[in-house]
Amino acid sequence: MKTIIGVRLKKIGKVYYFDPENYNLNVGDYVIVETALGEEYAEVVIRK
């Protein structure tokens, strides 16, 4: 089964979903994600 993470760019905001590929990420971890506006710092809020 494929793992999907949900991240938030702001404390209160929309959740964006990404495939973490080979990284083992957990809720509360911070990541850099590629968005339409460039790279952004985000917090993992969902792990499925």
Side-chain angles (χ1 to χ4, degrees):
M1 182 175 196
K2 194 146 190 99
T3 300
I4 299 295
I5 59 167
V7 303
R8 264 200 190 114
L9 305 177
K10 299 178 182 174
K11 185 123 178 127
I12 299 175
K14 184 176 177 180
V15 175
Y16 298 90
Y17 295 93
F18 292 90
D19 174 2
E21 297 180 1
N22 296 325
Y23 295 99
N24 185 17
L25 299 169
N26 296 304
V27 172
D29 290 345
Y30 289 90
V31 294
I32 303 293
V33 295
E34 184 69 33
T35 70
L37 300 175
E39 294 179 342
E40 296 280 345
Y41 184 68
E43 180 180 3
V44 177
V45 295
I46 298 171
R47 184 172 190 272
K48 292 185 179 186

